[in-house]
Amino acid sequence: MPELPEVETLCRQLNEILPGEKILAVEVLDPRLGTTEDEGLDGRKIERVYRQGKYIRIEMGKRSQDPGISGPEKGRGKIKQKPSDDRLTAALHLRMTGRLLWQTGSEPAPPYTRLVISFAAGRLILIDPRRFATFCVRPSETAPALVENPLEGLPPHHLKKTAEKRRLPVKSFLMDQRFVAGIGNIYACEILYHAGIDPRRHAGSLSDAEWRKVQKASAAVLPRAVECRGTTVSDWRDLFGMSGENQNHLEVYSREGKPCRRCGGMIQRTKIGGRGTWFCPICQK
Ligand SMILES: [Zn+2]
């Protein structure tokens, strides 16, 4: 499942290709995506792509170059403002198994292709075997891009207060998208290892100093994962079909029975909230 660094990687790669490109055609191959081909996307130019939590947001300009819409209005009857006169933003969420692929050749679309957006420079393809991904189009509103580290800038006592109200292990708290957007299983395990915090501890039991350690750890773990274009432990691929490289930097995730690189003790696996959780019982208190 793509987490913050993977979604951020896709946004950055899309932002290198798409701004200025005009949508030539949109093919929706799966009605479960929650969108149709008549959203008025063709003819629009992409302005920018940014991440909001785990959403990929694609901002598009007005369809001003379509003479059928921007030309002089005929007749004296009331003409309703067409939705295509607004600036639009598409919000794409990959959920469990969604991935994006940029194709420039004439090769056939891969199996499980759900959506194809064609541009002069190439095609953006959404592939999703389990069909949980969503794609919806709304009028643009000003939503700021998020920082790389969702824990950055939050006062530790605010984190502590929020956590105290929740009866959750700290790992589950970090993965709860209502409080911290974008951190999933892999990065929650890694951040808590770097912070030296036992993932089984109650989130409300962490002191301000310990929350500062969690923040510092996330500021080390997440940007590095973005630099490495994400973590490929199963099916993650970037926009160009390449594996990420952050799996080479994992300290605990999926390392059950292997020695801790800090203390030499053995990494253990447990389950928290139904999810596999890896930690060092010596380094994490
Ligand atoms: Zn250790």
Side-chain angles (χ1 to χ4, degrees):
M1 191 190 304
E3 300 182 31
L4 180 154
E6 288 76 31
V7 176
E8 179 70 24
T9 296
L10 288 173
C11 288
R12 289 183 180 195
Q13 293 180 326
L14 288 167
N15 233 345
E16 282 172 20
I17 296 174
L18 292 186
E21 283 288 324
K22 194 198 267 188
I23 297 176
L24 302 181
V26 178
E27 289 169 79
V28 179
L29 304 172
D30 183 359
R32 257 175 66 172
L33 272 178
T35 193
T36 66
E37 280 157 32
D38 317 316
E39 305 268 14
L41 298 188
D42 49 313
R44 289 177 187 272
K45 260 192 191 167
I46 307 297
E47 292 183 344
R48 65 169 182 150
V49 182
Y50 63 97
R51 181 180 62 78
Q52 200 176 32
K54 288 209 247 179
Y55 281 92
I56 296 167
R57 294 176 66 95
I58 305 174
E59 218 169 69
M60 293 164 276
K62 292 180 183 182
R63 214 156 57 157
S64 57
Q65 283 161 5
D66 183 338
I69 286 158
S70 63
E73 293 170 354
K74 288 174 192 143
R76 280 176 294 163
K78 271 191 199 164
I79 295 175
K80 230 169 98 183
Q81 176 94 1
K82 292 186 182 175
S84 52
D85 289 338
D86 297 329
R87 293 167 72 249
L88 298 180
T89 298
L92 175 68
H93 199 301
L94 298 170
R95 307 282 170 196
M96 298 288 289
T97 54
R99 54 173 286 229
L100 290 178
L101 180 67
W102 178 252
Q103 276 189 340
T104 52
S106 56
E107 59 270 51
Y112 308 114
T113 292
R114 305 293 179 203
L115 173 74
V116 181
I117 305 178
S118 301
F119 302 89
R123 303 188 291 169
L124 179 63
I125 294 175
L126 169 67
I127 302 160
D128 187 13
R130 293 186 61 186
R131 304 175 65 198
F132 289 118
T134 56
F135 180 85
C136 66
V137 179
R138 299 271 180 276
S140 295
E141 74 261 1
T142 41
L146 292 187
V147 291
E148 241 170 54
N149 173 6
L151 292 168
E152 194 179 294
L154 294 173
H157 67 267
H158 169 79
L159 278 165
K160 183 169 160 53
K161 258 183 143 177
T162 313
E164 275 167 356
K165 289 185 208 137
R166 309 286 310 171
R167 302 191 60 79
L168 282 175
V170 60
K171 186 197 169 212
S172 306
F173 180 79
L174 287 182
M175 289 174 61
D176 190 324
Q177 301 300 306
R178 287 171 295 175
F179 307 113
V180 185
I183 296 179
N185 204 30
I186 296 175
Y187 300 111
C189 290
E190 292 296 312
I191 287 168
L192 289 171
Y193 172 80
H194 280 262
I197 307 280
D198 188 319
R200 299 167 295 184
R201 275 180 62 186
H202 185 281
S205 74
L206 271 65
S207 65
D208 283 8
E210 287 174 319
W211 278 117
R212 267 193 290 277
K213 283 185 188 171
V214 172
Q215 289 181 303
K216 217 177 139 192
S218 67
V221 167
L222 297 173
R224 185 179 62 196
V226 173
E227 286 305 310
C228 291
R229 292 173 300 100
T231 305
T232 302
V233 286
S234 55
D235 49 7
W236 159 250
R237 297 289 181 277
D238 73 6
L239 188 62
F240 308 107
M242 305 287 287
S243 297
E245 284 166 8
N246 193 58
Q247 59 279 11
N248 304 321
H249 298 287
L250 298 178
E251 303 282 3
V252 283
Y253 183 84
S254 226
R255 292 194 68 240
E256 183 182 4
K258 292 186 179 153
C260 167
R261 295 191 182 112
R262 198 175 288 164
C263 74
M266 197 187 279
I267 302 297
Q268 291 188 8
R269 181 183 191 273
T270 185
K271 266 195 168 182
I272 295 176
R275 305 293 302 273
T277 301
W278 291 263
F279 66 106
C280 172
I282 298 168
C283 295
Q284 295 177 253
K285 301 290 181 195

